Amino acid sequence: RVSSKPMLHNIDIESGDIMDTTKEWIVRAPHENVLWQQAINEATGRSGETQPNHAGTEGVAAEATGNDGCSYSWLQNEEEVELTVPLIGDGDEAVKKRLIKVSFLPQKVVVKYNSECKVEVELYSNIDVDGCTWTLDKRNLVITCEKARDGEIWPRLELRG
């Protein structure tokens, strides 16, 4: 006798299993989802239809809002993530480098300007803190962080989305 239905088993998932981005199933999920979508499209004859690109990819910046309401944008590729944080408005005076403080932690980036927290982002996955830098682009702070695991595309920038 051939069974046409797969055996299903219920399992318990703890919150740590979902929040720990190093879990193998979380790392594999985005790629496997795209492969599944392609297989379904092929089977149904809907060629070319795919899910939308992940946020911050294909050179299109994703917009986000920090914990204090400060907006910023971000881009990513398989090796790094880049945040652009506006520090001052159009009518304000020039940015002073000595007032900028950026803290890099394995899963968090904090930006302060003139002792005021501009952005604090708890990241989706770990970064290599030794591979992080920042530069000033007129009125914006541009932060570049190397991802701890090359080849990983994050579905979002922040851990909680």
Side-chain angles (χ1 to χ4, degrees):
R1 176 176 164 179
V2 177
S3 175
S4 61
K5 296 181 182 177
M7 294 292 290
L8 300 177
H9 300 280
N10 290 330
I11 60 169
D12 292 328
I13 297 177
E14 310 236 346
S15 62
D17 292 333
I18 297 170
M19 300 307 287
D20 182 0
T21 60
T22 63
K23 295 284 187 182
E24 183 182 348
W25 72 272
I26 290 179
V27 172
R28 283 192 341 251
H31 178 68
E32 289 177 356
N33 196 14
V34 169
L35 292 177
W36 178 84
Q37 180 71 47
Q38 290 170 342
I40 292 296
N41 286 345
E42 186 176 317
T44 60
R46 295 184 301 186
S47 64
E49 291 184 35
T50 59
Q51 294 180 339
N53 292 327
H54 288 291
T57 60
E58 304 297 323
V60 179
E63 300 295 323
T65 304
N67 58 342
D68 65 348
C70 179
S71 64
Y72 62 94
S73 61
W74 66 281
L75 293 164
Q76 70 171 322
N77 60 34
E78 293 180 345
E79 291 84 33
E80 61 187 24
V81 61
E82 179 182 282
L83 288 82
T84 302
V85 181
L87 294 179
I88 59 174
D90 290 335
D92 296 337
E93 61 188 57
V95 173
K96 295 180 176 85
K97 283 186 179 182
R98 62 181 168 79
L99 297 178
I100 299 171
K101 179 167 175 30
V102 181
S103 301
F104 299 108
L105 301 169
Q107 204 165 356
K108 184 185 279 190
V109 175
V110 180
V111 177
K112 292 183 180 182
Y113 183 68
N114 199 14
S115 299
E116 176 187 340
C117 186
K118 287 298 207 178
V119 174
E120 183 174 342
V121 180
E122 191 173 346
L123 299 170
Y124 176 80
S125 190
N126 287 357
I127 56 175
D128 177 4
V129 295
D130 294 329
C132 297
T133 61
W134 63 266
T135 58
L136 198 53
D137 178 16
K138 296 181 184 175
R139 299 175 182 277
N140 299 314
L141 183 69
V142 179
I143 300 166
T144 304
C145 301
E146 286 184 20
K147 294 179 178 178
R149 289 188 297 274
D150 281 350
E152 183 179 66
I153 294 293
W154 299 350
R156 60 187 179 277
L157 179 66
E158 297 190 62
L159 180 60
R160 290 170 178 74

